[in-house]
Amino acid sequence: MNCFLSLRAYQLIGDLEQPRQYKITPLVEEILSKSNNTSFVNRRFAAHILNNLSGMALLKAIDAINSRGEEPQLESIAYELQERGYAISPNAIYTSTMRSWLFQAGVFEREYEINWDIVSEILGINKDFIDELYTLTPGQKHFLLSLLNLDVKELIPANKVAQHTRSIYKLRLTTKNLVKDVIEPLANLGLIETEKTTGGRGAKPNKVRLTSIAQSELLAPFLKSIANETRLSEIELNRTFDDVVNELNHPDKHIKGKALELLAVWMIRLTSLRFTKWRSRENGKGEVDVLAASDRFVYSRWQIQCKNTNKVDIDVLAKEIGLTFVTGADVVMVVTTGEFTRDAYQYAYRMMEVSRYYMILLQKDDIEAIKRDKTNIVEIFGRKARRVFAKKELDVSDEELNEIEQEEDLMAEAIEDEIDDNT
């Protein structure tokens, strides 16, 4: 049992749809393909531990203890990790096991002496850069994560990025102190570029984007980790959202199918979910299924289907709800390049009224809105959540909701016009 739990904890096996059946993960397949190269195997597994299993937090905890001239012990390491926000018992031996695996890759020269040169080689990031990242406040770190997830390579308004951070990570970022507390420190570290547009009363917000350093040191490894999880290439994952959406109409079935897979991954990136696995599906049916998860506040499992069809009717949604008994999903997201029928919308609202499921339906106009500005996904999700709350908890009719949303749109346009006039 301990061996099984370890394999699962180190993400070496994953669940199949049938109960008590498991399969090896892509990481294991990669390691087995190079099993005769011990150095590669050890370093590849070490990179997985450092990137995905809080291995870097273990190194920083040990480094902090060493810097104080103290001798690292299991108990002192556990207390150090507790101070860094990790829930771990002082008697746990997990840290010793993880240290042993990292030792195999040369990360430790002696029992608790870290070889940062080896760490830099494994991660492709130098220690100074790592140290700088660990000085970031939660607000700075999550603002930077939003920039990475949104793939911000061109200047966009900082307030839109901040809104993504607030909505996705449930973190409070005040507009008043955004420049001083978040933007300037990140710019001083060379992670973002910023441009002030106007000054004085009614000034427009600063614009921001990732620097070339952040793109190479953070975005590239970020995409590499996604590539390892999804079995998509880093070149494919580096495709822009616009390119992916445009290729959904490509005459070549293979290109169109790959674009649909990339669309599913983009949905996961934009909502900061964690990819779990592809769900088995029939090829050539114009649909892609993927499972993802979120561990913010409470754990939730997401079931996502992307369809490249003109119309999506009630039968598709009913099938997805039926599959949740196998996948264990709490949230069902269906994305289509076409439109949902009225019956499909009514079914989704009815299911949310009488069951524990939350359904998100994104259609062509939503995709186009995200294509225009990726931060629009926050407003789209927010509006859908407010609509569900109003119908489920306040018993507001569709007609009343439409009137309220129209008024909200008019107010938003008036505010934007006023800002433009002042500038």
Side-chain angles (χ1 to χ4, degrees), residues 77-356:
I77 294 171
Y79 285 131
E80 188 71 29
L81 287 168
Q82 285 178 9
E83 291 181 3
R84 294 166 183 263
Y86 290 87
I88 182 171
S89 168
N91 301 319
I93 62 170
Y94 309 133
T95 54
S96 178
T97 304
M98 184 175 285
R99 190 207 65 82
S100 297
W101 284 118
L102 293 173
F103 182 84
Q104 298 297 317
V107 171
F108 291 93
E109 293 182 330
R110 285 184 282 277
E111 189 174 13
Y112 288 110
E113 185 177 331
I114 302 169
N115 188 330
W116 286 106
D117 290 336
I118 296 296
V119 175
S120 298
E121 289 178 14
I122 291 173
L123 298 180
I125 304 175
N126 64 56
K127 182 179 182 295
D128 290 339
F129 192 75
I130 293 171
D131 288 340
E132 289 175 348
L133 291 180
Y134 270 83
T135 66
L136 298 181
T137 65
Q140 294 162 4
K141 180 176 70 174
H142 288 93
F143 186 87
L144 187 59
L145 281 172
S146 286
L147 287 167
L148 291 171
N149 280 312
L150 293 168
D151 196 36
V152 180
K153 297 176 182 176
E154 303 297 331
L155 289 167
I156 69 170
N159 63 334
K160 290 191 173 184
V161 180
Q163 182 58 34
H164 182 274
T165 306
R166 295 187 195 100
S167 300
I168 299 298
Y169 299 108
K170 306 304 177 187
L171 198 73
R172 184 178 180 183
L173 289 179
T174 60
T175 303
K176 180 179 179 181
N177 297 324
L178 184 64
V179 173
K180 178 184 175 183
D181 293 345
V182 176
I183 295 175
E184 288 181 354
L186 290 176
N188 291 337
L189 289 174
L191 296 173
I192 67 171
E193 293 178 10
T194 179
E195 179 181 285
K196 190 171 182 179
T197 52
T198 58
R201 183 179 175 83
K204 290 187 177 180
N206 288 47
K207 291 186 175 182
V208 294
R209 68 180 173 190
L210 294 167
T211 62
S212 57
I213 294 175
Q215 290 181 39
S216 62
E217 299 284 3
L218 295 177
L219 186 58
F222 177 77
L223 293 178
K224 185 175 182 179
S225 67
I226 297 177
N228 291 329
E229 294 171 353
T230 62
R231 301 193 194 183
L232 295 170
S233 73
E234 293 170 54
I235 294 176
E236 290 171 332
L237 290 168
N238 207 28
R239 303 286 304 282
T240 67
F241 186 81
D242 290 15
D243 287 344
V244 169
V245 173
N246 290 337
E247 288 193 348
L248 290 170
N249 296 318
H250 199 282
D252 188 303
K253 185 181 292 186
H254 174 75
I255 294 176
K256 192 191 313 187
K258 184 62 68 176
L260 203 58
E261 288 185 346
L262 290 170
L263 178 64
V265 174
W266 260 110
M267 288 296 125
I268 291 173
R269 282 185 64 183
L270 292 173
T271 49
S272 293
L273 297 172
R274 294 183 180 182
F275 176 91
T276 304
K277 63 180 178 180
W278 296 111
R279 203 176 79 207
S280 58
R281 59 196 184 278
E282 296 181 64
N283 293 324
K285 296 293 184 180
E287 61 183 45
V288 167
D289 303 301
V290 64
L291 296 178
S294 170
D295 58 0
R296 291 187 296 276
F297 292 102
V298 294
Y299 175 81
S300 61
R301 182 174 290 180
W302 289 53
Q303 178 179 308
I304 304 171
Q305 182 177 72
C306 294
K307 296 185 71 68
N308 201 352
T309 53
N310 292 327
K311 291 286 183 183
V312 176
D313 207 348
I314 187 173
D315 59 320
V316 173
L317 273 58
K319 178 183 174 184
E320 290 300 305
I321 290 295
L323 286 170
T324 59
F325 292 97
V326 177
T327 64
D330 311 288
V331 181
V332 175
M333 183 196 298
V334 182
V335 184
T336 178
T337 55
E339 296 178 336
F340 293 95
T341 64
R342 181 177 179 81
D343 287 344
Y345 275 114
Q346 290 178 341
Y347 174 83
Y349 285 126
R350 181 59 180 161
M351 285 304 302
M352 287 186 280
E353 286 176 5
V354 302
S355 72
R356 66 178 179 85

